[in-house]
Amino acid sequence: MSDPRTFNKPPYSYEQLLNKLTDRGLSIADRESATVHLRNIGYFRLIGYGLAYEQYCEHGNRIGQYKQDTSFDDLVDVYITDRKIRSLLLGAIERIEIAVRNIINHDLACKYNNAHWYMDSALFKESDDFSHAGLLNEIKRHTLKNAEAGSDKEGKREVFIHHYYNHYDQPDYPPCWMVAEILPLGSWSKVYEHLSVSKDRKIISRQLDLAPATMQSWLHSITYLRNMCAHHSRLFGRKFVIRPNKAKGTPFLDENRLFNFVCIVFRILKTISPDSNWLDRFHDELDALDAELMTQYGFKENWLEDSFWLE
């Protein structure tokens, strides 16, 4: 058996980290300002944005040197653009999430004439990662159903949940329009995926002009993207693990970059908010990068001229 591999790299001071960067060919005009950025961003986080600026050997391996004329400010500028893009995406996803959970609950509540439709186990199919009992347990956690009267836990309830439990004993859970406000997008993605009645899935997906299989895939993909943005993960230069299903007319790339996810966010946003100027604002932020850096997100120069974005 081989000896265990042990991590033994020591922590460096900011001064040492700056020296390390300059040794690798990065120019730093203002070391005091650079130190502030390292304190506020972190060395490890920032150098992730420098991968596109590094030199590679003929075999595609990094050689530990930055391209000529690369500056510390270049990395910071890309970092700031990435942060702004994440913020824009979260804003768009917020609108999509609110629309999706309302569509699901409104359509199914009306169809079954039942404000508590989600409590009917017959409306769901189960899988290794979903059960109806698990859904109810999740709702129980989010509503703090078992909180004792007057406890700190009860005080953390949403006002409308508190009102329900103060005034009603049955059913055990609040109506679906209240539950819509407390369950996250990932939960509604799972709910949609596990609806057992195919007509229910079609009724909902039709509201967004999508096929049921496409909607299922896109909700899963948007949940994945939302979590990355909410946790401040780097989008620049990333090849995404989850790939959304391609729908007719969507100009997806074979390489699964951010571009594919922007396609689905835009497509749904265009359906729920035709007058939104979100795409213009996204373009303005992306346009801060040169053409070579835009490819790190999967975008080509003049990408907005494709008919997909103009319809």
Side-chain angles (χ1 to χ4, degrees):
M1 180 180 295
S2 61
D3 293 334
R5 296 172 296 173
T6 302
F7 181 89
N8 58 7
K9 294 182 180 181
Y12 287 178
S13 68
Y14 290 133
E15 185 69 20
Q16 289 172 316
L17 292 172
L18 291 177
N19 290 338
K20 188 175 181 180
L21 290 173
T22 55
D23 289 344
R24 295 177 60 191
L26 196 69
S27 66
I28 303 176
D30 186 339
R31 291 179 71 93
E32 184 176 348
S33 174
T35 299
V36 172
H37 282 304
L38 287 185
R39 184 196 66 192
N40 294 337
I41 300 172
Y43 173 84
F44 182 75
R45 180 174 178 79
L46 187 61
I47 61 173
Y49 291 91
L51 293 174
Y53 292 95
E54 291 199 29
Q55 297 183 47
Y56 293 79
C57 70
E58 59 182 8
H59 301 295
N61 298 319
R62 298 158 62 196
I63 65 172
Q65 289 290 310
Y66 288 102
K67 297 175 183 176
Q68 188 175 1
D69 298 327
T70 302
S71 71
F72 187 91
D73 289 341
D74 289 331
L75 274 60
V76 173
D77 288 345
V78 174
Y79 169 80
I80 292 172
T81 295
D82 202 54
R83 184 182 66 201
K84 291 178 178 178
I85 286 175
R86 283 196 305 272
S87 180
L88 277 173
L89 286 166
L90 280 173
I93 292 170
E94 175 192 357
R95 300 191 69 173
I96 292 171
E97 177 176 358
I98 291 172
V100 164
R101 69 194 192 190
N102 182 66
I103 290 168
I104 291 174
N105 282 290
H106 180 81
D107 287 358
L108 296 185
C110 288
K111 177 181 177 181
Y112 293 105
N113 193 29
N114 183 358
H116 292 80
W117 66 270
Y118 65 86
M119 294 182 64
D120 185 353
S121 61
L123 297 181
F124 299 90
K125 55 187 177 183
E126 304 208 346
S127 68
D128 291 340
D129 60 352
F130 179 89
S131 69
H132 183 252
L135 172 63
L136 295 183
N137 280 333
E138 184 179 8
I139 295 170
K140 182 186 295 185
R141 289 196 304 273
H142 282 281
T143 59
L144 302 172
K145 184 178 185 301
N146 295 330
E148 295 182 5
S151 66
D152 290 342
K153 191 174 182 180
E154 185 192 41
K156 294 178 181 178
R157 280 179 179 160
E158 289 281 4
V159 172
F160 52 88
I161 298 295
H162 185 77
H163 180 273
Y164 179 82
Y165 284 131
N166 270 358
H167 289 79
Y168 305 98
D169 298 314
Q170 295 292 330
D172 286 342
Y173 303 98
C176 62
W177 48 82
M178 292 186 185
V179 174
E181 295 295 322
I182 59 171
L183 285 190
L185 178 59
S187 299
W188 293 114
S189 174
K190 287 291 183 185
V191 164
Y192 180 78
E193 179 183 354
H194 290 85
L195 291 174
S196 60
V197 181
S198 61
K199 287 185 178 179
D200 290 349
R201 288 162 52 84
K202 290 179 181 177
I203 288 171
I204 294 163
S205 66
R206 192 180 304 128
Q207 302 294 315
L208 297 177
D209 194 27
L210 298 173
T214 300
M215 180 162 174
Q216 177 179 320
S217 169
W218 287 14
L219 284 181
H220 182 50
S221 298
I222 290 174
T223 299
Y224 168 63
L225 178 63
R226 180 216 169 272
N227 291 340
M228 294 194 71
C229 292
H231 291 94
H232 324 300
S233 298
R234 174 172 51 85
L235 304 179
F236 179 77
R238 181 180 293 274
K239 295 180 182 179
F240 292 81
V241 175
I242 293 176
R243 176 182 290 274
N245 288 358
K246 184 174 182 179
K248 184 178 180 180
T250 51
F252 282 1
L253 303 175
D254 291 334
E255 191 174 53
N256 196 29
R257 299 272 188 176
L258 182 67
F259 178 87
N260 291 346
F261 289 79
V262 172
C263 285
I264 66 177
V265 167
F266 169 71
R267 170 79 179 273
I268 297 176
L269 196 60
K270 184 176 65 172
T271 301
I272 65 176
S273 183
D275 296 328
S276 170
N277 67 348
W278 180 85
L279 187 63
D280 294 330
R281 289 182 287 131
F282 180 86
H283 174 265
D284 289 344
E285 296 300 342
L286 193 67
D287 204 40
L289 305 176
D290 63 35
E292 183 177 355
L293 291 177
M294 285 170 55
T295 63
Q296 294 293 316
Y297 290 114
F299 289 83
K300 299 178 181 178
E301 197 171 10
N302 301 322
W303 62 274
L304 206 54
E305 295 177 5
D306 188 291
S307 60
F308 173 78
W309 310 102
L310 302 175
E311 293 177 357

